[in-house]
Amino acid sequence: MIKNIIWDFDGTLVDTYGIMSKAFCIALNKRNIMAKEAEVNKLLKVSSEYAINYFGLDKSFKKIWKDEEKKVDKNLSKPFENVENILKYIIKNGGKNYIVTHRDKTTFEYLKFYNLEKYFDDIVTIEDADYRKPNIDMFKKLISRNNINIKETLSVGDRILDMIPSKEMKLMTCYFNNENIEIGFIVDITVR
């Protein structure tokens, strides 16, 4: 029986890709590089590192991008339909919600903005981990500090980066395939 849900944040709980893509393009323009938001969006869905490398940028670009993201109106993003109801349902039935995300402390800002913070028992951000997904470190940290039984846990994410460490940890996996993207990877559940 599933009692615990480990959620990814961006693209799984909240549709933030529009904000991220817009900010990325603004940051690119500051480097005299032009790109369409739709193109950047596809690259970001692989990973932020993939998008940065695609444009031949160094690590310093990420700070410019994240600074621009803070300026973009949060109303351009929104939780996916029924997210709050699902989170409530899990808790009502004795379960717990957790988050493992590459996002930094802005995760908490978004959760507060959408009044969702009360539904999560713990959150591991990139600031809590030594490695990024698909390394399992972020999952290990969350599972260890909350004494989570992996046999009672489902991991939900929208990218293969979420599914790889979940499978390595022997968690049940749910791929939130909100854009009908085939990942070529075996998961337990696919939701479209």
Side-chain angles (χ1 to χ4, degrees):
M1 179 174 168
I2 298 299
K3 293 183 181 177
N4 310 298
I5 310 293
I6 301 175
W7 300 90
D8 174 49
F9 183 77
D10 294 299
T12 303
L13 290 169
V14 179
D15 187 1
T16 54
Y17 280 109
I19 286 177
M20 292 189 300
S21 299
K22 184 176 193 65
F24 197 99
C25 286
I26 293 167
L28 283 175
N29 287 338
K30 290 186 173 197
R31 294 270 177 104
N32 295 316
I33 301 171
M34 303 301 285
K36 293 182 179 177
E37 287 180 34
E39 173 190 16
V40 168
N41 195 34
K42 286 181 184 177
L43 298 169
L44 288 173
K45 290 202 176 198
V46 176
S47 76
S48 57
E49 277 70 33
Y50 182 79
I52 290 168
N53 290 336
Y54 178 86
F55 290 102
L57 302 163
D58 58 24
K59 299 274 185 202
S60 66
F61 176 81
K62 196 164 200 167
K63 181 176 180 349
I64 298 165
W65 170 35
K66 292 303 177 180
D67 287 344
E68 290 301 329
E69 186 179 330
K70 291 173 189 171
K71 298 174 191 174
V72 178
D73 184 1
K74 282 187 179 57
N75 285 310
L76 294 176
S77 68
K78 62 182 178 182
F80 284 99
E81 187 176 353
N82 292 316
V83 160
E84 187 170 14
N85 291 334
I86 293 166
L87 296 170
K88 283 180 187 177
Y89 178 83
I90 291 163
I91 294 167
K92 180 182 173 190
N93 288 287
K96 293 185 178 184
N97 294 296
Y98 301 95
I99 295 175
V100 171
T101 179
H102 280 152
R103 182 172 282 282
D104 59 13
K105 63 185 176 225
T106 59
T107 305
F108 301 98
E109 295 168 17
Y110 277 98
L111 290 172
K112 186 173 182 166
F113 183 77
Y114 291 112
N115 199 26
L116 295 174
E117 71 273 10
K118 61 190 168 216
Y119 300 114
F120 296 94
D121 281 58
D122 195 7
I123 299 168
V124 173
T125 70
I126 192 63
E127 294 162 331
D128 295 312
D130 297 325
Y131 302 99
R132 297 174 62 87
K133 294 184 247 178
N135 186 294
I136 63 174
D137 178 60
M138 297 177 89
F139 286 88
K140 280 183 176 178
K141 190 165 292 256
L142 179 81
I143 288 166
S144 172
R145 76 184 184 198
N146 292 282
N147 199 26
I148 295 171
N149 181 341
I150 60 174
K151 292 180 181 176
E152 299 175 340
T153 305
L154 174 70
S155 176
V156 183
D158 69 314
R159 299 182 301 170
I160 194 167
L161 286 176
D162 304 313
M163 299 296 99
I164 291 171
S166 300
K167 280 294 193 186
E168 285 182 34
M169 291 295 300
K170 303 203 181 328
L171 301 169
M172 250 183 101
T173 54
C174 176
Y175 175 50
F176 180 50
N177 191 357
N178 59 2
E179 292 191 5
N180 295 321
I181 298 169
E182 295 304 320
I183 60 171
F185 190 78
I186 297 173
V187 294
D188 297 302
I189 304 165
T190 299
V191 178
R192 296 184 194 260

